[in-house]
Amino acid sequence: MADSPWQRAELGPNGRGLIAHEEGAIAVFRADGRLHAVANACPHEGNPLLEGDVLGATLVCAFHGWRFDLETGACLLGERPVRLYPVEERDGEVWVRVCAPTA
């Protein structure tokens, strides 16, 4: 459906994927069996969060070490939270709602 706010995400064998949309890119992670979608630009300096380390429910920016809670978007080490997007799995496919960030 062309007008749908949901966009399909392709995850690689490492459980990560990237979606491009008009507001920027969204990084998608499967960590500990759960899906998470965040703005790909770190709020610190805009570096790609897709390259970060996922430690349980924590995402660590590979560039300056800022840490984010993947469940809430809260910044655990740094100053600003990361923007979250709704994500779900339907019939084995991953879908992200690109128009309605939750944080």
Side-chain angles (χ1 to χ4, degrees):
M1 178 185 288
D3 294 333
S4 174
W6 292 88
Q7 189 169 332
R8 189 169 175 263
E10 294 282 339
L11 299 187
N14 62 355
R16 295 170 183 234
L18 191 66
I19 293 177
H21 67 102
E22 62 249 5
E23 290 185 26
I26 299 171
V28 183
F29 301 94
R30 184 184 304 274
D32 295 334
R34 301 207 51 204
L35 291 167
H36 307 279
V38 302
N40 190 44
C42 180
H44 177 225
E45 289 190 357
N47 293 307
L49 289 174
L50 187 67
E51 296 179 24
D53 292 322
V54 176
L55 309 170
T58 301
L59 173 61
V60 182
C61 179
F63 294 85
H64 299 104
W66 279 35
R67 294 174 177 262
F68 305 96
D69 183 320
L70 286 170
E71 298 292 330
T72 67
C75 189
L76 306 173
L77 179 64
E79 299 171 8
R80 291 182 301 276
V82 69
R83 180 178 242 182
L84 299 181
Y85 292 85
V87 60
E88 59 187 50
E89 192 162 5
R90 302 180 204 154
D91 298 321
E93 294 181 338
V94 177
W95 292 86
V96 177
R97 186 167 184 192
V98 298
C99 70
T102 59

